[in-house]
Structures are given as C-alpha cells and as structure tokens.
Amino acid sequence: MLATRLDLDRIRAARRVIDPLFLDTPLYQCDPLGHHLGCTVSIKLETANPVRSFKARGTELVASLLTGQGRTAAVCASAGNLGQALGWSGRRRGLDVTVVASRRAPAAKLDRIRALGAELELVDGDFEQARERAATLARQRDIRLVEDSLDIETCEGAATIGLELADSARSVRPSRFGAGSAFDAVLVALGGGAMASGVGYALKTLAPAVEVICVQPSGAPAMTRSWHQRRVVSTDSTDTIADGVAGRYPIPAVLDDLLAVADDAVLVREESIVEGMRLLLEHAGLVVEPSAALGVAAVLENPDRFADRHVVTVVCGSNVDLPAYHHWIRR
C-alpha cells in the first residue's frame, strides 16, 4: 500500500459524485504529434467541458461535501481555473462562491469566473497573496476555505483521471511497452500537486509499471526542487507564462504524497512551453494554455529519453487569453 493521504475506494466513489460531463474524457493516439516528437504520443484531453480544465473533478467533490454539511458558502484562491470550477460546481448546488485572484491573472479566466456568478476579489501580487487573502476572508465570514491540493477532495477528484488511464492501460494486449499496458509513461503538469499526486496514486496503485513524470516550468520550480531534495523548498518569486502552476510555497502534506507516487520531476524552459503550445495547435488542432503544454515541452527537451516509447500527456486546460496566445505561438 502506498503511504499517502489518498484512498482508492474514495476515488472510485468520487465517480458517482462528479458530474458525468467531466468524466471519461477522450484518450487518443495523436500520430502527427508523435511523428514530430519521435515517439508514440497519446493525449488525455481534459478541456472539452464547461470549465475547460480538469479542476471540476475536484470541485464537484468539494461542493457536494459542503452542501451535505449544510454549508452555503465557500472561498478559494485561484490562478483562474480552480475559481471557474468552484464557481460552476457551487452554482449547480446553490453555494455562494468567492474567488480571490491576482490582478495579473489572464483576463479570460477572470471574466469567466464572473460569468459563473462567483464574487471575484482581485489582489496585487501573485497567487500566494491571493491565498493569504482567501484565508482571511474565510475567517472573517466563517465559511469554508477551499485549498487546492491541500484539500484531499481536489486530489482525489483529479485521481479519477488516473483511474481512467489505468483502465485503458489494462484493457489491451501485452506489448513491448510493458505487460498489459498501452503506454509506459504519463506526463503530468506539476503546480500545487493535486493532479500529479492524484493521477500518480491511481496509476501506481493500479498500473505500477507506468512511469509517472511530473513537469514544471523552470521559472516556477518550487515543487520540483522540493521533490528532488525531499523537503519543502520555497522560492521568492516566479517567472513563467504557465500561470496555472506558478506557486512558490509547496504544501508539506502534498509533497509527501508526491514523493510516494512520482517517478521523476523535471523542469522545462519557457521556449519549450511555447513550442509545445504551437505543436499542439499544428498537429492536434488544440488551443491550450501554457500549463497544458508542459508534457510536450518535456519530450522536446529530452527526446532521447522518450524515443520509441509510448507516452500520454495530460492536456489539462485551455483557458487562455487569445491575444497572449497568438503572441506566444507567433513569436
């Protein structure tokens, strides 16, 4: 048994709570992208849903729990995607949702949070300042503070992605990529760690031969540094276009989970992230936000590691400001 906060029975039960709109997302082999990268590439697409990211898998659990407890309100800090997801799940269940975000967050994400009916408060500074303000509001209003990655529901919601991947891995004939496995590595964006620890836990429990590789921008390396040093390592600042994974203070409990389930954690350069976005558009027809291109960036930076292998990259979000997107991919 893996020594983590996660539980396989709870993750399986989560599928009965999460709206089916967010479950059983497409997983398909993308040959044009694979030919360009020199390996077999499959895409796990988490953007074809009402909030355009995987985050609602977790907020569906949180919102269901809160309404079951008779709660009527919640607050969270968000780089954009969590706020949208909590707004969607909260509206569906009659919760009043407040989202605290940085003024520097992509305008498209902020506009969508407002459109979903959530109260939006903006702060100067980065996500960490938003997190501090959200905690203050929770105390002042005596409402639930939803903390991505720390709240186990956000991790176990994301872990349902891993269940779907594990089911796919076990449903095919044995191949040279590993006994009974359709692929031998999964590339997961790493920020606070909810998706990486959740997907990693499900795979290591149900398909342990599959390598779990976490990918983070070099401009926001706190969790990757922490994973390699096996202790919390914070940073003074971040400098990356991948706003969705730009945290500075890893959560100790989440790091412990990640240490138990991840095989590796790597950093990638900004130019590789941009190239990954461009390749996903050109070869897969997908407009994605920078965090969703981290897996492709990892293959670009280390092609020998992945040559002739079959990898899955989790495309985790597509909430992006189009002017910024066009600027990046034309650069």
Side-chain angles (χ1 to χ4, degrees):
M1 296 294 291
L2 295 169
T4 73
R5 299 176 300 145
L6 289 85
D7 178 81
L8 189 61
D9 289 336
R10 289 200 306 261
I11 295 166
R12 286 176 168 147
R15 287 182 54 86
R16 299 192 292 270
V17 176
I18 298 168
D19 191 298
L21 285 168
F22 303 102
L23 295 174
D24 300 313
T25 51
L27 172 65
Y28 60 93
Q29 189 168 310
C30 184
D31 289 336
L33 182 60
H35 291 154
H36 185 91
L37 294 174
C39 59
T40 302
V41 177
S42 289
I43 289 171
K44 180 64 168 167
L45 188 63
E46 292 294 312
T47 64
N49 62 59
V51 299
R52 302 180 187 176
S53 82
F54 76 97
K55 292 287 189 179
R57 291 181 184 250
T59 60
E60 283 287 273
L61 297 185
V62 172
S64 176
L65 175 66
L66 291 180
T67 53
Q69 295 172 341
R71 301 270 194 132
T72 59
V75 59
C76 73
S78 176
N81 286 349
L82 179 70
Q84 291 180 67
L86 187 60
W88 193 92
S89 296
R91 184 174 69 176
R92 179 172 174 244
R93 292 174 174 82
L95 291 174
D96 292 326
V97 172
T98 301
V99 179
V100 184
S102 169
R103 296 184 192 279
R104 302 196 298 262
K109 294 183 179 182
L110 300 180
D111 290 344
R112 184 60 180 156
I113 290 170
R114 294 187 185 98
L116 287 164
E119 176 188 343
L120 178 63
E121 180 171 324
L122 301 179
V123 299
D124 296 321
D126 62 8
F127 174 77
E128 303 303 342
Q129 277 73 49
R131 190 157 66 177
E132 292 173 5
R133 176 59 181 163
T136 298
L137 289 176
R139 290 192 299 269
Q140 291 175 344
R141 300 179 183 180
D142 190 26
I143 60 177
R144 167 72 182 267
L145 173 63
V146 178
E147 294 193 77
D148 199 17
S149 303
L150 178 60
D151 288 354
I152 196 62
E153 297 88 0
T154 62
C155 303
E156 292 184 338
T160 59
I161 300 171
L163 285 186
E164 293 164 19
L165 290 172
D167 285 346
S168 175
R170 294 179 299 175
S171 66
V172 299
R173 297 190 305 270
S175 74
R176 62 190 178 92
F177 300 116
S181 177
F183 45 86
D184 63 347
V186 174
L187 299 161
V188 189
L190 176 60
M195 182 169 64
S197 63
V199 171
Y201 175 83
L203 285 171
K204 287 304 174 186
T205 303
L206 299 172
V210 175
E211 187 179 19
V212 176
I213 304 169
C214 306
V215 190
Q216 195 166 41
S218 295
M223 186 61 96
T224 296
R225 290 180 181 175
S226 299
W227 187 88
H228 284 282
Q229 297 187 34
R230 305 188 70 82
R231 62 179 181 86
V232 170
V233 178
S234 60
T235 61
D236 294 330
S237 62
T238 61
D239 183 15
T240 179
I241 62 172
D243 59 285
V245 293
R248 295 190 284 118
Y249 302 126
I251 299 169
V254 183
L255 174 60
D256 289 341
D257 292 340
L258 197 66
L259 287 169
V261 302
D263 293 296
D264 199 4
V266 301
L267 297 173
V268 294
R269 299 184 299 271
E270 294 295 290
E271 54 266 34
S272 300
I273 299 173
V274 171
E275 181 63 10
M277 295 169 68
R278 184 182 297 112
L279 292 175
L280 283 164
L281 176 63
E282 179 179 352
H283 296 297
L286 298 174
V287 174
V288 305
E289 61 188 81
S291 300
L294 289 171
V296 176
V299 180
L300 285 169
E301 292 203 2
N302 197 349
D304 290 343
R305 176 176 185 174
F306 299 101
D308 298 322
R309 300 180 72 190
H310 187 169
V311 302
V312 172
T313 183
V314 181
V315 175
C316 55
S318 63
N319 290 298
V320 63
D321 283 331
L322 287 179
Y325 177 84
H326 289 306
H327 170 74
W328 291 328
I329 65 170
R330 290 172 179 168
R331 202 162 57 185

